[in-house]
């Protein structure tokens, strides 16, 4: 890919921002498709563009731009990735079914079922909300992987859609920015990495960091910019000498510098507790040659010229990453003692490293034209199979992160077959990765010829031999605490579910009874058939209560979540059966829209004071203002203390209390003082997101003492929610104090 195209891909400003100029972009798209696939029907791309332009005619984005710019830019990026004409049309039309009067049938009639099905698939994935109800999120993720297994173009367009949305995220409210950026970092960037599309992955990560921790983002960019000239001079000298030696050996090569992207630097600083001065691979060299043999020849030349660092060589050519990435990595020391990294790969490997699965795009008559594509997507189908039996949303998300987003370790069978597994996997994981029967009959393991325990964690390059026996009793329930992969957990659970049903029923009933006792509601009053029927339907428990007990017993369902679901029904019934007099009394109570009852006065204007932002649970007092009704303050608000009020104002106090606050939300401001280190704001934002608290404002500044002073405006309903947030934030390493401010 030439430099001009690369710049256009990475910088949204390169694309025209005026709707009338989208015609020019579409002409460029058509030319790119003709260049990569001369036999493609590009007329349909122009027709799709005209349809999209008409459909979105009166629609505008938050930025004020005409909406048509969004699908056109997505189609442009798709063309840069050499996607076919069907995918380009779907990119242009990806919002028409959801946001305009056009239907699936309209799209199918004009462009065929392939385009319509991709558009419909992308539309179904539009509503994945990170902070939405977990059950809904898990269901949407299942749909995403199902759509991927049917047609990978669906998720490719979704990734490009997210990329453009992240580029324009600055026009969204703060709380939306944080939620979308966190979802992008948690799901979409790792998914792009798993598909091998480093172009999209790196930009998604950097843009996410920009919003989740703007202080760290700016500091890293400034630090890199300050060292750029010095590093470039160093790299230029290395490039010249290396190019001369390689050329003299008769090998044609391309050598270029590579700058480490911001999030990668941030992650290394955060994970290894390093300063930016301690990171030596901010800039690296990439050598691109024609053949695999030349890769290893260049590696020899590099090691002749420079001293290699021990344990810093990785051969991803012999053992490719699961996302198809191949390259040789070596870290060497220059003549001045400065370490630097060199990556060596072929032109084909480089294209795959940049574009991932998109580099293998081969479609014939709208269908995948090569078995290679099916093989590369095999991990998606395996993922679906292992996740199919996981009903609990927490378990699903945890296993998904491990299986799809973890770093890999490569181990070998005695026959030399490579088994890639998530980092931290054990000998048991290895056994189940070979075959279910191998895992079920496992009695021990050897690593590199030596007996090791089942808990042994695999190391790159291990040769693992699984010892089996026909008399083996099968997996133990304790194995579930040892294994790392969801594949192993799923197979163990299936075995326990099938072979130990009676034991699971007893165990599940005990767990549910214990949980019911914990919430102080008798088991018999919670587990009523009319309340259980929706649970049976949701989790396909065809044999009713016994199936429920068994599922909880073998770990498929959480006893806590089942009891909480039933408790909701119980509380609804209790509320509905309150005495009539009690209900009537409640209806007579007078309270303001802010949930405040003024004792002795009805229908007066009441407002919460912004100087101290009281919330339910705070001790409060009312203060009668001149012409603005009753102002409600926290009792400890400094503005209403007796010693600061004029004598004539001390008689304006009136008694107030909280009433009818259910469903109301209030803004409280937290002041956090912490060490000024990268990642601090991101950690705090993560805690707030996990507690499902809306962040409506964020401010931060650094002191000369290298401390960071941050204020967060968060929406809460009770002081208990506020206290939980303060406790969690105070537990973050590096946080010195958390206080609630009065302004």
């Amino acid at each position: 890919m030439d430099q001009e195209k690369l710049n256009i891909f990475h910088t949204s400003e390169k694309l025209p921002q005026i709707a009338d100029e989208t015609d020019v972009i579409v002409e460029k798209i058509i030319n790119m498709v003709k260049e990569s696939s001369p036999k493609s029907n590009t007329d349909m791309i122009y027709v799709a563009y005209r349809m999209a332009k008409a459909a979105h005619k009166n629609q505008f984005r938050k930025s004020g731009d005409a909406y048509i710019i969004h699908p056109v830019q997505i189609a442009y990026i798709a063309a840069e990735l050499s996607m076919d004409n069907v995918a380009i049309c779907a990119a242009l039309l990806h919002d028409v079914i959801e946001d305009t009067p056009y239907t699936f049938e309209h799209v199918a009639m004009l462009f065929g079922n392939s385009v319509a099905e991709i558009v419909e698939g992308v539309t179904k994935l539009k509503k994945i909300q990170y902070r939405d109800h977990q059950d809904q999120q898990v269901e949407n993720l299942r749909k995403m992987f199902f759509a991927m297994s049917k047609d990978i173009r669906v998720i490719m367009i979704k990734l490009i859609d997210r990329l453009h949305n992240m580029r324009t995220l600055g026009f969204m409210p703060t709380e939306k920015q944080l939620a979308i950026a966190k979802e992008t970092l948690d799901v979409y960037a790792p998914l792009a990495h798993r598909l091998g599309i480093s172009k999209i992955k790196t930009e998604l990560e950097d843009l996410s960091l920009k919003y989740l921790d703007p202080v760290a983002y700016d500091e890293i960019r400034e630090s890199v910019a300050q060292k750029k000239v010095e590093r470039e001079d160093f790299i230029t000298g290395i490039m010249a000498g290396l190019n001369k030696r390689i050329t003299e050996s008769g090998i044609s090569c391309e050598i270029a510098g590579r700058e480490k992207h911001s999030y990668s630097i941030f992650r290394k600083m955060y994970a290894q507790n390093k300063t930016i001065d301690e990171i030596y691979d901010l800039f690296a060299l990439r050598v691109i040659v024609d053949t695999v043999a030349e890769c290893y020849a260049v590696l020899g030349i590099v090691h002749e010229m420079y001293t290699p660092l021990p344990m810093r060589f990785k051969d991803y050519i012999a053992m490719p990453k699961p996302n198809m990435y191949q390259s040789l990595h070596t870290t060497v020391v220059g003549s001045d003692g400065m370490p630097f990294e060199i990556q060596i790969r072929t032109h084909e490997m480089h294209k795959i490293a940049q574009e991932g699965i998109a580099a293998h795009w081969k479609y014939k008559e709208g269908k995948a034209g090569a078995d290679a594509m099916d093989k590369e997507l095999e991990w998606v189908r395996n993922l679906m199979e292992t996740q199919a039996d996981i009903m609990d949303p927490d378990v699903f998300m945890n296993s998904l992160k491990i299986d799809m987003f973890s770093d890999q370790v490569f181990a070998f069978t005695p026959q030399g077959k490579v088994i890639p597994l998530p980092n931290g996997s054990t000998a048991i994981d290895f056994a189940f990765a070979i075959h279910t029967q191998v895992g079920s009959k496992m009695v021990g393991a050897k690593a590199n010829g030596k007996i090791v325990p089942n808990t042994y964690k695999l190391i790159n390059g291990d040769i693992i031999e699984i010892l089996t026996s026909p008399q083996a009793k099968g997996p133990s329930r304790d194995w579930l605490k040892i294994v790392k992969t969801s594949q192993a957990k799923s197979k163990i659970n299936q075995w326990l579910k099938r072979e130990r049903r009676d034991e699971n029923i007893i165990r599940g009933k005990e767990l549910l009874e214990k949980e019911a006792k914990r919430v102080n509601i008798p088991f018999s009053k919670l587990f009523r058939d009319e309340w259980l029927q929706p649970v049976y339907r949701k989790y396909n428990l065809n044999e009713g209560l016994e199936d429920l007990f068994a599922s909880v017993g073998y770990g498929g369902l959480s006893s806590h979540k089942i009891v909480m679901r039933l408790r909701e029904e119980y509380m609804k019934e209790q509320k509905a059966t309150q005495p009539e007099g009690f209900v009537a009394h409640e209806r007579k109570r007078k309270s303001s829209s802010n949930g405040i009852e003024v004792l002795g006065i009805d229908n007066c204007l009441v407002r919460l004071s912004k100087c101290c932002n009281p919330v339910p649970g705070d001790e409060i007092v009312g203060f009668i203002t001149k012409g603005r009704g009753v102002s409600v303050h926290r009792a400890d608000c400094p503005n209403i203390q007796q010693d600061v009020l004029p004598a004539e104002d001390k008689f304006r106090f009136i008694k107030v209390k909280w009433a009818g606050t259910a469903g109301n939300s209030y803004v409280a401001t937290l002041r956090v003082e912490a060490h000024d280190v990268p990642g601090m704001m991101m950690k705090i934002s993560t805690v707030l997101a996990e507690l499902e608290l809306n962040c409506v404002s964020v401010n931060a500044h650094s002191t000369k003492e290298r401390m960071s002073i941050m204020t967060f405006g968060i929406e809460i309903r009770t002081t208990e929610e506020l206290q939980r947030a303060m406790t969690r934030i105070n537990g973050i390493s590096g946080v010195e104090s958390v206080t609630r401010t009065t302004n």
Side-chain angles (χ1 to χ4, degrees), residues 411-427:
F412 297 86
T413 66
Q415 293 74 35
K417 181 180 178 182
V418 181
I419 305 292
L421 291 166
N423 197 26
S425 294
T426 65

mmCIF file with all atom_site columns, all heavy atoms in Angstrom, residues 411-427:
data_model
loop_
_atom_site.group_PDB
_atom_site.id
_atom_site.type_symbol
_atom_site.label_atom_id
_atom_site.label_alt_id
_atom_site.label_comp_id
_atom_site.label_asym_id
_atom_site.label_entity_id
_atom_site.label_seq_id
_atom_site.pdbx_PDB_ins_code
_atom_site.Cartn_x
_atom_site.Cartn_y
_atom_site.Cartn_z
_atom_site.occupancy
_atom_site.B_iso_or_equiv
_atom_site.pdbx_formal_charge
_atom_site.auth_seq_id
_atom_site.auth_comp_id
_atom_site.auth_asym_id
_atom_site.auth_atom_id
_atom_site.pdbx_PDB_model_num
ATOM 1   N N   . ALA A 1 411 ? 2.599  -24.788 22.557 1.00 0.00 ? 411 ALA A N   1
ATOM 2   C CA  . ALA A 1 411 ? 3.192  -26.035 23.038 1.00 0.00 ? 411 ALA A CA  1
ATOM 3   C C   . ALA A 1 411 ? 3.047  -27.090 21.949 1.00 0.00 ? 411 ALA A C   1
ATOM 4   O O   . ALA A 1 411 ? 2.231  -26.943 21.028 1.00 0.00 ? 411 ALA A O   1
ATOM 5   C CB  . ALA A 1 411 ? 2.522  -26.488 24.327 1.00 0.00 ? 411 ALA A CB  1
ATOM 6   N N   . PHE A 1 412 ? 3.816  -28.172 22.065 1.00 0.00 ? 412 PHE A N   1
ATOM 7   C CA  . PHE A 1 412 ? 3.848  -29.204 21.031 1.00 0.00 ? 412 PHE A CA  1
ATOM 8   C C   . PHE A 1 412 ? 3.418  -30.550 21.597 1.00 0.00 ? 412 PHE A C   1
ATOM 9   O O   . PHE A 1 412 ? 3.674  -30.869 22.756 1.00 0.00 ? 412 PHE A O   1
ATOM 10  C CB  . PHE A 1 412 ? 5.275  -29.354 20.474 1.00 0.00 ? 412 PHE A CB  1
ATOM 11  C CG  . PHE A 1 412 ? 5.803  -28.133 19.787 1.00 0.00 ? 412 PHE A CG  1
ATOM 12  C CD1 . PHE A 1 412 ? 6.428  -27.120 20.503 1.00 0.00 ? 412 PHE A CD1 1
ATOM 13  C CD2 . PHE A 1 412 ? 5.686  -27.990 18.413 1.00 0.00 ? 412 PHE A CD2 1
ATOM 14  C CE1 . PHE A 1 412 ? 6.920  -25.999 19.881 1.00 0.00 ? 412 PHE A CE1 1
ATOM 15  C CE2 . PHE A 1 412 ? 6.179  -26.868 17.771 1.00 0.00 ? 412 PHE A CE2 1
ATOM 16  C CZ  . PHE A 1 412 ? 6.800  -25.866 18.507 1.00 0.00 ? 412 PHE A CZ  1
ATOM 17  N N   . THR A 1 413 ? 2.772  -31.352 20.729 1.00 0.00 ? 413 THR A N   1
ATOM 18  C CA  . THR A 1 413 ? 2.556  -32.760 21.050 1.00 0.00 ? 413 THR A CA  1
ATOM 19  C C   . THR A 1 413 ? 3.866  -33.501 20.771 1.00 0.00 ? 413 THR A C   1
ATOM 20  O O   . THR A 1 413 ? 4.742  -32.971 20.077 1.00 0.00 ? 413 THR A O   1
ATOM 21  C CB  . THR A 1 413 ? 1.433  -33.357 20.184 1.00 0.00 ? 413 THR A CB  1
ATOM 22  O OG1 . THR A 1 413 ? 1.882  -33.376 18.814 1.00 0.00 ? 413 THR A OG1 1
ATOM 23  C CG2 . THR A 1 413 ? 0.154  -32.545 20.301 1.00 0.00 ? 413 THR A CG2 1
ATOM 24  N N   . PRO A 1 414 ? 4.036  -34.731 21.278 1.00 0.00 ? 414 PRO A N   1
ATOM 25  C CA  . PRO A 1 414 ? 5.261  -35.492 20.969 1.00 0.00 ? 414 PRO A CA  1
ATOM 26  C C   . PRO A 1 414 ? 5.455  -35.718 19.467 1.00 0.00 ? 414 PRO A C   1
ATOM 27  O O   . PRO A 1 414 ? 6.569  -35.949 19.008 1.00 0.00 ? 414 PRO A O   1
ATOM 28  C CB  . PRO A 1 414 ? 5.041  -36.815 21.710 1.00 0.00 ? 414 PRO A CB  1
ATOM 29  C CG  . PRO A 1 414 ? 4.127  -36.463 22.835 1.00 0.00 ? 414 PRO A CG  1
ATOM 30  C CD  . PRO A 1 414 ? 3.209  -35.414 22.289 1.00 0.00 ? 414 PRO A CD  1
ATOM 31  N N   . GLN A 1 415 ? 4.353  -35.632 18.681 1.00 0.00 ? 415 GLN A N   1
ATOM 32  C CA  . GLN A 1 415 ? 4.434  -35.825 17.231 1.00 0.00 ? 415 GLN A CA  1
ATOM 33  C C   . GLN A 1 415 ? 4.797  -34.525 16.504 1.00 0.00 ? 415 GLN A C   1
ATOM 34  O O   . GLN A 1 415 ? 4.917  -34.504 15.276 1.00 0.00 ? 415 GLN A O   1
ATOM 35  C CB  . GLN A 1 415 ? 3.104  -36.353 16.685 1.00 0.00 ? 415 GLN A CB  1
ATOM 36  C CG  . GLN A 1 415 ? 2.758  -37.762 17.145 1.00 0.00 ? 415 GLN A CG  1
ATOM 37  C CD  . GLN A 1 415 ? 2.309  -37.808 18.591 1.00 0.00 ? 415 GLN A CD  1
ATOM 38  O OE1 . GLN A 1 415 ? 1.654  -36.878 19.072 1.00 0.00 ? 415 GLN A OE1 1
ATOM 39  N NE2 . GLN A 1 415 ? 2.662  -38.886 19.295 1.00 0.00 ? 415 GLN A NE2 1
ATOM 40  N N   . GLY A 1 416 ? 4.934  -33.409 17.256 1.00 0.00 ? 416 GLY A N   1
ATOM 41  C CA  . GLY A 1 416 ? 5.352  -32.150 16.651 1.00 0.00 ? 416 GLY A CA  1
ATOM 42  C C   . GLY A 1 416 ? 4.217  -31.224 16.262 1.00 0.00 ? 416 GLY A C   1
ATOM 43  O O   . GLY A 1 416 ? 4.466  -30.168 15.685 1.00 0.00 ? 416 GLY A O   1
ATOM 44  N N   . LYS A 1 417 ? 2.976  -31.572 16.581 1.00 0.00 ? 417 LYS A N   1
ATOM 45  C CA  . LYS A 1 417 ? 1.852  -30.695 16.253 1.00 0.00 ? 417 LYS A CA  1
ATOM 46  C C   . LYS A 1 417 ? 1.823  -29.519 17.229 1.00 0.00 ? 417 LYS A C   1
ATOM 47  O O   . LYS A 1 417 ? 1.941  -29.688 18.446 1.00 0.00 ? 417 LYS A O   1
ATOM 48  C CB  . LYS A 1 417 ? 0.532  -31.465 16.324 1.00 0.00 ? 417 LYS A CB  1
ATOM 49  C CG  . LYS A 1 417 ? -0.678 -30.612 15.975 1.00 0.00 ? 417 LYS A CG  1
ATOM 50  C CD  . LYS A 1 417 ? -1.973 -31.416 16.064 1.00 0.00 ? 417 LYS A CD  1
ATOM 51  C CE  . LYS A 1 417 ? -3.181 -30.544 15.751 1.00 0.00 ? 417 LYS A CE  1
ATOM 52  N NZ  . LYS A 1 417 ? -4.461 -31.276 15.882 1.00 0.00 ? 417 LYS A NZ  1
ATOM 53  N N   . VAL A 1 418 ? 1.653  -28.287 16.684 1.00 0.00 ? 418 VAL A N   1
ATOM 54  C CA  . VAL A 1 418 ? 1.612  -27.083 17.520 1.00 0.00 ? 418 VAL A CA  1
ATOM 55  C C   . VAL A 1 418 ? 0.194  -26.892 18.065 1.00 0.00 ? 418 VAL A C   1
ATOM 56  O O   . VAL A 1 418 ? -0.782 -26.912 17.312 1.00 0.00 ? 418 VAL A O   1
ATOM 57  C CB  . VAL A 1 418 ? 2.023  -25.830 16.721 1.00 0.00 ? 418 VAL A CB  1
ATOM 58  C CG1 . VAL A 1 418 ? 1.988  -24.594 17.610 1.00 0.00 ? 418 VAL A CG1 1
ATOM 59  C CG2 . VAL A 1 418 ? 3.402  -26.005 16.131 1.00 0.00 ? 418 VAL A CG2 1
ATOM 60  N N   . ILE A 1 419 ? 0.080  -26.691 19.386 1.00 0.00 ? 419 ILE A N   1
ATOM 61  C CA  . ILE A 1 419 ? -1.217 -26.418 20.025 1.00 0.00 ? 419 ILE A CA  1
ATOM 62  C C   . ILE A 1 419 ? -1.149 -25.014 20.621 1.00 0.00 ? 419 ILE A C   1
ATOM 63  O O   . ILE A 1 419 ? -0.467 -24.793 21.629 1.00 0.00 ? 419 ILE A O   1
ATOM 64  C CB  . ILE A 1 419 ? -1.530 -27.442 21.140 1.00 0.00 ? 419 ILE A CB  1
ATOM 65  C CG1 . ILE A 1 419 ? -1.472 -28.872 20.606 1.00 0.00 ? 419 ILE A CG1 1
ATOM 66  C CG2 . ILE A 1 419 ? -2.895 -27.144 21.761 1.00 0.00 ? 419 ILE A CG2 1
ATOM 67  C CD1 . ILE A 1 419 ? -2.571 -29.230 19.624 1.00 0.00 ? 419 ILE A CD1 1
ATOM 68  N N   . PRO A 1 420 ? -1.812 -24.019 19.988 1.00 0.00 ? 420 PRO A N   1
ATOM 69  C CA  . PRO A 1 420 ? -1.832 -22.671 20.567 1.00 0.00 ? 420 PRO A CA  1
ATOM 70  C C   . PRO A 1 420 ? -2.911 -22.564 21.636 1.00 0.00 ? 420 PRO A C   1
ATOM 71  O O   . PRO A 1 420 ? -4.052 -22.998 21.429 1.00 0.00 ? 420 PRO A O   1
ATOM 72  C CB  . PRO A 1 420 ? -2.156 -21.776 19.361 1.00 0.00 ? 420 PRO A CB  1
ATOM 73  C CG  . PRO A 1 420 ? -2.923 -22.663 18.430 1.00 0.00 ? 420 PRO A CG  1
ATOM 74  C CD  . PRO A 1 420 ? -2.487 -24.080 18.680 1.00 0.00 ? 420 PRO A CD  1
ATOM 75  N N   . LEU A 1 421 ? -2.596 -21.995 22.779 1.00 0.00 ? 421 LEU A N   1
ATOM 76  C CA  . LEU A 1 421 ? -3.540 -21.842 23.882 1.00 0.00 ? 421 LEU A CA  1
ATOM 77  C C   . LEU A 1 421 ? -3.339 -20.477 24.530 1.00 0.00 ? 421 LEU A C   1
ATOM 78  O O   . LEU A 1 421 ? -2.269 -19.877 24.405 1.00 0.00 ? 421 LEU A O   1
ATOM 79  C CB  . LEU A 1 421 ? -3.330 -22.950 24.924 1.00 0.00 ? 421 LEU A CB  1
ATOM 80  C CG  . LEU A 1 421 ? -3.719 -24.374 24.513 1.00 0.00 ? 421 LEU A CG  1
ATOM 81  C CD1 . LEU A 1 421 ? -3.134 -25.384 25.490 1.00 0.00 ? 421 LEU A CD1 1
ATOM 82  C CD2 . LEU A 1 421 ? -5.230 -24.529 24.431 1.00 0.00 ? 421 LEU A CD2 1
ATOM 83  N N   . PRO A 1 422 ? -4.344 -19.978 25.248 1.00 0.00 ? 422 PRO A N   1
ATOM 84  C CA  . PRO A 1 422 ? -4.166 -18.701 25.952 1.00 0.00 ? 422 PRO A CA  1
ATOM 85  C C   . PRO A 1 422 ? -3.059 -18.797 26.996 1.00 0.00 ? 422 PRO A C   1
ATOM 86  O O   . PRO A 1 422 ? -2.859 -19.851 27.595 1.00 0.00 ? 422 PRO A O   1
ATOM 87  C CB  . PRO A 1 422 ? -5.533 -18.465 26.617 1.00 0.00 ? 422 PRO A CB  1
ATOM 88  C CG  . PRO A 1 422 ? -6.496 -19.281 25.831 1.00 0.00 ? 422 PRO A CG  1
ATOM 89  C CD  . PRO A 1 422 ? -5.727 -20.477 25.366 1.00 0.00 ? 422 PRO A CD  1
ATOM 90  N N   . ASN A 1 423 ? -2.368 -17.682 27.189 1.00 0.00 ? 423 ASN A N   1
ATOM 91  C CA  . ASN A 1 423 ? -1.310 -17.637 28.186 1.00 0.00 ? 423 ASN A CA  1
ATOM 92  C C   . ASN A 1 423 ? -1.859 -18.001 29.562 1.00 0.00 ? 423 ASN A C   1
ATOM 93  O O   . ASN A 1 423 ? -2.915 -17.529 29.960 1.00 0.00 ? 423 ASN A O   1
ATOM 94  C CB  . ASN A 1 423 ? -0.708 -16.228 28.231 1.00 0.00 ? 423 ASN A CB  1
ATOM 95  C CG  . ASN A 1 423 ? 0.622  -16.196 28.915 1.00 0.00 ? 423 ASN A CG  1
ATOM 96  O OD1 . ASN A 1 423 ? 1.333  -17.190 28.952 1.00 0.00 ? 423 ASN A OD1 1
ATOM 97  N ND2 . ASN A 1 423 ? 0.966  -15.048 29.471 1.00 0.00 ? 423 ASN A ND2 1
ATOM 98  N N   . GLY A 1 424 ? -1.159 -18.867 30.289 1.00 0.00 ? 424 GLY A N   1
ATOM 99  C CA  . GLY A 1 424 ? -1.631 -19.320 31.589 1.00 0.00 ? 424 GLY A CA  1
ATOM 100 C C   . GLY A 1 424 ? -2.331 -20.659 31.547 1.00 0.00 ? 424 GLY A C   1
ATOM 101 O O   . GLY A 1 424 ? -2.764 -21.172 32.580 1.00 0.00 ? 424 GLY A O   1
ATOM 102 N N   . SER A 1 425 ? -2.474 -21.240 30.346 1.00 0.00 ? 425 SER A N   1
ATOM 103 C CA  . SER A 1 425 ? -3.146 -22.538 30.213 1.00 0.00 ? 425 SER A CA  1
ATOM 104 C C   . SER A 1 425 ? -2.329 -23.644 30.884 1.00 0.00 ? 425 SER A C   1
ATOM 105 O O   . SER A 1 425 ? -1.102 -23.562 30.996 1.00 0.00 ? 425 SER A O   1
ATOM 106 C CB  . SER A 1 425 ? -3.367 -22.875 28.740 1.00 0.00 ? 425 SER A CB  1
ATOM 107 O OG  . SER A 1 425 ? -4.277 -21.980 28.154 1.00 0.00 ? 425 SER A OG  1
ATOM 108 N N   . THR A 1 426 ? -3.027 -24.701 31.297 1.00 0.00 ? 426 THR A N   1
ATOM 109 C CA  . THR A 1 426 ? -2.407 -25.802 32.025 1.00 0.00 ? 426 THR A CA  1
ATOM 110 C C   . THR A 1 426 ? -2.342 -27.058 31.162 1.00 0.00 ? 426 THR A C   1
ATOM 111 O O   . THR A 1 426 ? -2.861 -27.089 30.036 1.00 0.00 ? 426 THR A O   1
ATOM 112 C CB  . THR A 1 426 ? -3.209 -26.121 33.293 1.00 0.00 ? 426 THR A CB  1
ATOM 113 O OG1 . THR A 1 426 ? -4.506 -26.615 32.897 1.00 0.00 ? 426 THR A OG1 1
ATOM 114 C CG2 . THR A 1 426 ? -3.388 -24.873 34.153 1.00 0.00 ? 426 THR A CG2 1
ATOM 115 N N   . ALA A 1 427 ? -1.739 -28.110 31.748 1.00 0.00 ? 427 ALA A N   1
ATOM 116 C CA  . ALA A 1 427 ? -1.669 -29.398 31.056 1.00 0.00 ? 427 ALA A CA  1
ATOM 117 C C   . ALA A 1 427 ? -3.070 -29.938 30.769 1.00 0.00 ? 427 ALA A C   1
ATOM 118 O O   . ALA A 1 427 ? -3.292 -30.599 29.747 1.00 0.00 ? 427 ALA A O   1
ATOM 119 C CB  . ALA A 1 427 ? -0.876 -30.391 31.907 1.00 0.00 ? 427 ALA A CB  1
#
